[in-house]
């Protein structure tokens, strides 16, 4: 499995931006499709964005489309999530995750076998 560590979370005002990073170690990062999920207090963990192993395919939840951008640098073993125009409803713990087989139609937590510990994003109004 691949080990994942997120960073870059924090407190930001509505309309602001943050960039999350996810550093991978262990087995070959470039073999994995990657995703970002988030979990708000009292709610289930939900899909945010995903990217194919080579970066050629990206997928987004409707709630973040046009505001968030997922990318990866396989040479640096790092996944990114650029978040712009942040809203209070984006407040959550954000997790990166890895899978060898991405379900591009309906990405779900069940598809991903490796997870990071999460990073808190708080958007104030």
């Amino acid at each position: 499995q691949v080990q994942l560590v997120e960073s870059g979370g924090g407190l930001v005002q509505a309309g602001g931006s943050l960039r999350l990073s996810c550093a991978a170690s262990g087995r070959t990062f470039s073999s994995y499709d990657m995703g970002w999920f988030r979990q708000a207090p009292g709610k289930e963990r939900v899909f945010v964005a995903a990217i194919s192993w080579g970066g050629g395919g990206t997928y987004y939840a409707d709630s973040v489309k046009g505001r968030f951008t997922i990318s990866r640098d396989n040479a640096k073993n790092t996944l990114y999530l650029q978040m712009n125009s942040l809203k209070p409803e984006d407040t959550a713990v954000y997790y990166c995750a890895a899978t060898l087989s991405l379900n591009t139609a309906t990405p779900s937590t069940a598809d991903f076998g490796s997870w990071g510990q999460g990073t808190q994003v708080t958007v104030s109004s």
Side-chain angles (χ1 to χ4, degrees):
Q1 288 191 341
V2 62
Q3 288 75 49
L4 304 171
V5 178
E6 302 94 337
S7 61
L11 174 64
V12 64
Q13 288 189 333
S17 298
L18 281 175
R19 188 176 82 154
L20 305 184
S21 298
C22 173
S25 61
R27 300 188 65 177
T28 308
F29 175 69
S30 59
S31 299
Y32 290 86
D33 300 319
M34 299 295 297
W36 287 99
F37 290 76
R38 67 187 181 187
Q39 187 167 17
K43 297 188 177 181
E44 63 182 23
R45 194 172 299 186
V46 297
F47 169 72
V48 173
I51 188 167
S52 60
W53 62 271
T58 56
Y59 313 90
Y60 297 93
D62 288 344
S63 59
V64 306
K65 219 172 271 185
R67 300 188 298 122
F68 291 11
T69 302
I70 189 171
S71 62
R72 66 191 297 162
D73 186 335
N74 286 344
K76 295 183 178 180
N77 287 355
T78 304
L79 174 73
Y80 303 100
L81 185 68
Q82 178 67 43
M83 305 186 294
N84 298 329
S85 302
L86 282 161
K87 305 175 181 180
E89 51 264 43
D90 294 318
T91 294
V93 177
Y94 283 70
Y95 298 88
C96 67
T99 179
L100 291 173
S101 181
L102 177 64
N103 179 344
T104 60
T106 54
S108 74
T109 56
D111 300 329
F112 291 78
S114 298
W115 292 85
Q117 84 291 348
T119 186
Q120 176 71 47
V121 171
T122 303
V123 184
S124 64
S125 57

